[in-house]
Amino acid sequence: MASIKTVGVIGAGIMGSGIAQVVAQAGYTVVVREAEQRLLDTARQAIDRRLQRAVEKGRLTVEDKAALLGRIRWTLALEELRGADLIIEAITEDLLLKQDLFRILDRLCPPSTIFVSNTSSISIVALASVTERADRFAGLHFFNPVPLMKLVEVVRSIRTSAETFRIVSDFAVSLGKEPVTAKDQCGFIVNRLLVPYLLDGIRALEAGVASAADIDKAMRLGCNHPMGPLELADFVGLDTTYAIANIMFEEFREQRYAPPPLLKKMVIAGYHGRKSGRGFYDYTGPMPHTTDLGL
Ligand code: CAA
């Protein structure tokens, strides 16, 4: 079995920075690549803040925090991923962007490097097939916030070898995660069930069933969900939710995956949820409050 020591993470957004943190926490050397210095800096600060909180709570020593941060290298250059044993792609949910990236990586990296994508809805075989290593290519889908969520979906495409699948599953366990195995079907397990639910929450708001706050409160207190559907859509990112829904609708042509017009309008308006400061809720003040959408 190939032994994994150095892990490349491409994309340092919410998912990429969380993934980089848990991989470094598990003792691996991590090389994180982003296209812009500003995004690298934001990710570095986010990890630093989370670890500092762990230090303050007595869950991490100052020395361990420094050692963990020392295992992460930040770069703008894709070439620096050449030495990685495993590369985790966590860029925008866009088939063509991801395929372009994997074409470049395939030329850059030795044949032994395993590629995985953190995609939540794009077919793994569609990404793997632009490389010469479709047998050493799998899906590894993490959940937000990555440092807290136990689940990882490990996805085996029709071209993933049994050995690659085993290495990737073992790697997920080594991160302290609980893997589940999913077929390479659009949305895997979680998004197949979660996305229609989030969209139904938006449809309920659009239909005037209740206010955003009451829809969320109903699901929090009525079903013990940690967040209601609109809060959760804001948390995932409305642009990401919209992209996933479109990909799933395209794949299955089922109404339940069709993004409601309100979601589309919000994305066009730049209301991308928590990360942009505004979605169904406004996060710019000390306490979130519902955004006035004129409904
Ligand atoms: N990153 C890391 N740690 C975080 C965090 C984050 N984003 N948000 C909160 N935490 C930590 C806090 O620091 C706090 O730690 P301490 O105990 O050390 O203080 C702890 O979590 C609890 O924090 P809070 O009391 O502020 O938050 P909470 O109890 O309300 O929990 C939550 C926050 C874990 C995010 C919870 O609301 C939750 O589980 N929400 C649902 C998340 C979910 O469903 N995620 C999956 C989304 S789908 C997806 O990711 C896949 C996809 O393809 C769309």
Side-chain angles (χ1 to χ4, degrees), residues 14-15 21 50 53-54 57 59 118-120 141-149 190-191 194-195 198 226-227 232 235-236 240-241 244 274:
I14 294 174
M15 297 304 286
Q21 180 183 330
R50 290 196 290 263
R53 196 176 160 82
K57 294 228 156 187
R59 289 195 303 254
N118 177 56
T119 179
S120 43
H141 183 214
F142 292 84
F143 293 83
N144 182 24
V146 179
L148 297 185
M149 305 301 273
V190 171
N191 279 343
L194 178 67
V195 170
L198 296 182
M227 290 175 168
L232 184 52
F235 186 65
V236 168
T240 305
T241 305
I244 297 172
R274 201 185 273 207

